Amino acid sequence: MTATIGIDGKTAEYPVHQGSVGPEVIDIRKLYGNTGRFTFDPGFTSTASCESKITYIDGDQGILLHRGYPIEQLAEQSSFLEVAYLLLNGDLPSQTEHDEFKYLITRHTMVHEQLATFYRGFRRDAHPMAVMCGVVGALSAFYHDSTDIHDPKQREIACHRLIAKMPTIAAMAYKYSVGQPFLYPDNSLSYTGNFLRMTFGVPAEPYIINPVVEDALDKIFILHADHEQNASTSTVRLAGSSGANPFACIAAGIACLWGPAHGGANEAALEMLRTIGRPERIPEFIARAKNKDDPFRLMGFGHRVYKNYDPRAKVLGAAATKVLDTLGISDPVLDTARELERIALSDDYFIEKKLYPNVDFYSGIILSAIGFPTSMFTALFALARTTGWIAQWTEMMEDKEQKIGRPRQLYTGHPRRDYVPLNQRG
Ligand code: SDX
């Protein structure tokens, strides 16, 4: 099938490609050559940047699949490490493959001892995302020379290193912020249990892992693992398209994720819920969110792709109640969140604009109940999303059609003009 595009009395046919599911794409790579014109799509609302087999989202139906498996089933029945294997390799592992993968990741959890000195360069009150950007980018200095990105084996080692070391790096960022000593990884623990111990354990006594917390956090990591071509994944792909090493690409992804419109929304959403405080104040904030002249937005609400309930928010909303009940924690913010959701979803503005809770609306309530400060929320998002980023980076590196990403523009600045010497200017 083709699409016909005509301009200046001339028409040309452009191939239409059909995926396995989801919208077809019009291949416009020859448009500029044929018409001397670019497409114009700020924010890429109608643009597919690549072909991928990793994650599929149906925003209208609120469907999220990882290599074909529904996120609800993975969150309920799988583990983060198994989902990481799935994203990287395309299929669920056999028991042998799972055990080998777990062994491989476990053997990469330590970071170079000198990396610890990077933390000392930051103020203790540095935002953990600033630390993560710096330290992950610095990993290039330790592995850059030995990472031949055109060698599949070395790409695989880089993937394992990043998945394995992100919990260690994130835990160290937290420890540094509270002035406690770093804990080395304990390879006898699960991926998430090891992270909990490195974060909340101290050398002075054994750390007892609460299985409810371990399970909830592992579920949160699964729900944040990958999400198609979102802003930070697109950043990783664009950085990787230049041939930059994977550590630098992941650092770029972390930087992009930090923004409150993206991964930073989980921190902003909990701050917002705490500012609202009581359900009686909700109408005031709903009014602000609807006010065009007010930059305030309901954090944790709305999504570029989901025009239905984010399936991850559904799982997190249920998990929030279960975790708080099991831990015996009563957090009024959860009641405020539920009431805010109820009011917003019955309000014409939110219904008309199809604004629903997204992954960031409830996650912070659970993370706070587990004991994380809000400043760590986006660092946890980055920890989990590293698996998706590196799977997408690998897919891009293996894509024969991929080339350096280099968009064009609509130029509305000055046409050519000559330089005026300073003594001749008005
Ligand atoms: C993530 O892309 C991904 O997949 C991201 C992510 C992932 O897993 O990688 O899912 C993670 O980033 C989730 C989103 C987290 N961000 C927030 O919760 C911040 C609040 N949400 C918004 O800023 C907004 O909804 C975005 C950024 C998420 C999406 O913005 P879009 O797609 O560019 O939509 P838009 O800004 O053009 O909004 C459409 C309309 C606008 O009104 P009009 O100009 O048409 O009159 O809806 C309004 C917006 O003003 N709107 C909101 C709103 N979100 C959109 N109004 C009030 N509150 C909001 N939250």
Side-chain angles (χ1 to χ4, degrees):
M1 178 168 48
T2 61
T4 303
I5 298 177
I7 192 164
D8 297 340
K10 284 184 285 181
T11 62
E13 302 296 311
Y14 297 87
V16 173
H17 305 310
Q18 169 66 50
S20 42
V21 284
E24 296 167 340
V25 296
I26 301 171
D27 186 335
I28 49 135
R29 282 177 283 193
K30 291 194 166 41
L31 180 77
Y32 180 60
N34 290 342
T35 69
R37 291 173 173 86
F38 302 132
T39 59
F40 187 61
D41 186 15
F44 310 119
T45 53
S46 302
T47 293
S49 62
C50 63
E51 178 182 336
S52 180
K53 296 175 168 53
I54 297 175
T55 290
Y56 173 70
I57 302 173
D58 180 330
D60 295 328
Q61 302 298 317
I63 289 171
L64 170 57
L65 308 177
H66 289 319
R67 302 287 189 175
Y69 296 100
I71 190 63
E72 298 87 348
Q73 293 180 19
L74 293 173
E76 191 52 41
Q77 303 176 56
S78 187
S79 70
F80 177 71
L81 214 49
E82 183 175 75
V83 169
Y85 181 96
L86 173 68
L87 291 171
L88 277 174
N89 298 290
D91 283 307
L92 291 170
S94 65
Q95 187 64 54
T96 307
E97 289 165 335
H98 178 278
D99 296 347
E100 280 171 3
F101 186 67
K102 180 171 167 41
Y103 178 84
L104 272 172
I105 296 300
T106 306
R107 283 329 174 266
H108 283 291
T109 48
M110 283 175 64
V111 293
H112 192 292
E113 195 64 11
Q114 276 180 238
L115 205 72
T117 55
F118 281 89
Y119 290 79
R120 309 224 187 291
F122 290 97
R123 288 168 39 139
R124 292 278 180 179
D125 62 355
H127 193 288
M129 284 300 277
V131 176
M132 297 285 283
C133 284
V135 172
V136 173
L139 284 177
S140 311
F142 291 84
Y143 303 116
H144 179 63
D145 296 343
S146 64
T147 302
D148 172 359
I149 57 174
H150 302 292
D151 174 350
K153 192 60 196 155
Q154 294 203 26
R155 286 204 298 270
E156 186 185 39
I157 293 171
C159 291
H160 294 164
R161 277 178 168 148
L162 279 155
I163 293 170
K165 295 181 194 307
M166 285 304 274
T168 310
I169 289 169
M172 289 169 76
Y174 173 70
K175 281 307 198 191
Y176 185 71
S177 74
V178 295
Q180 289 185 355
F182 300 142
L183 280 190
Y184 289 114
D186 175 345
N187 291 340
S188 68
L189 301 173
S190 74
Y191 184 88
T192 300
N194 183 35
F195 172 66
L196 283 167
R197 177 182 164 278
M198 290 190 290
T199 303
F200 297 119
V202 290
E205 59 191 38
Y207 177 75
I208 312 299
I209 295 170
N210 180 327
V212 172
V213 169
E214 185 180 21
D215 178 62
L217 190 55
D218 198 72
K219 194 188 294 288
I220 287 175
F221 287 164
I222 290 172
L223 293 166
H224 287 76
D226 191 55
H227 211 240
E228 200 212 68
Q229 304 310 319
N230 58 82
S232 53
T233 297
S234 299
T235 300
V236 170
R237 278 180 171 261
L238 196 56
S241 74
S242 77
N245 72 74
F247 304 98
C249 295
I250 297 303
I254 293 171
C256 176
L257 185 73
W258 194 359
H262 191 12
N266 55 15
E267 175 178 358
L270 192 66
E271 301 293 2
M272 174 192 74
L273 289 168
R274 285 179 176 159
T275 303
I276 292 173
R278 307 183 311 282
E280 305 80 71
R281 293 196 62 201
I282 289 172
E284 169 196 338
F285 286 84
I286 295 273
R288 286 190 57 195
K290 293 158 64 173
N291 178 356
K292 277 268 145 280
D293 300 325
D294 187 331
F296 173 80
R297 288 196 162 180
L298 279 190
M299 301 314 281
F301 255 77
H303 200 276
R304 171 61 60 77
V305 178
Y306 289 122
K307 301 310 171 190
N308 200 326
Y309 211 106
D310 183 334
R312 302 168 296 174
K314 267 191 197 149
V315 176
L316 287 164
T321 301
K322 183 179 169 210
V323 170
L324 269 62
D325 288 352
T326 312
L327 295 179
I329 296 173
S330 157
D331 185 346
V333 162
L334 180 55
D335 300 331
T336 304
R338 294 238 188 272
E339 182 60 7
L340 173 57
E341 174 185 344
R342 186 191 66 78
I343 295 174
L345 294 189
S346 58
D347 182 292
D348 291 343
Y349 173 91
F350 291 86
I351 293 169
E352 179 227 320
K353 294 182 187 298
K354 298 182 179 175
L355 303 175
Y356 291 85
N358 59 48
V359 68
D360 295 311
F361 190 62
Y362 286 108
S363 56
I365 295 169
I366 304 171
L367 294 175
S368 177
I370 291 175
F372 293 103
T374 52
S375 61
M376 275 296 290
F377 290 179
T378 311
L380 298 172
F381 194 151
L383 185 167
R385 186 52 59 88
T386 293
T387 292
W389 287 333
I390 205 65
Q392 298 271 352
W393 173 82
T394 301
E395 183 177 65
M396 180 200 71
M397 293 304 293
E398 293 169 352
D399 182 347
K400 301 281 178 288
E401 294 214 17
Q402 190 64 31
K403 53 177 62 178
I404 187 166
R406 205 288 188 205
R408 301 301 303 274
Q409 64 180 7
L410 172 65
Y411 178 69
T412 55
H414 280 285
R416 186 190 182 285
R417 54 179 173 167
D418 292 325
Y419 180 80
V420 179
L422 183 57
N423 61 14
Q424 294 174 30
R425 291 174 213 157

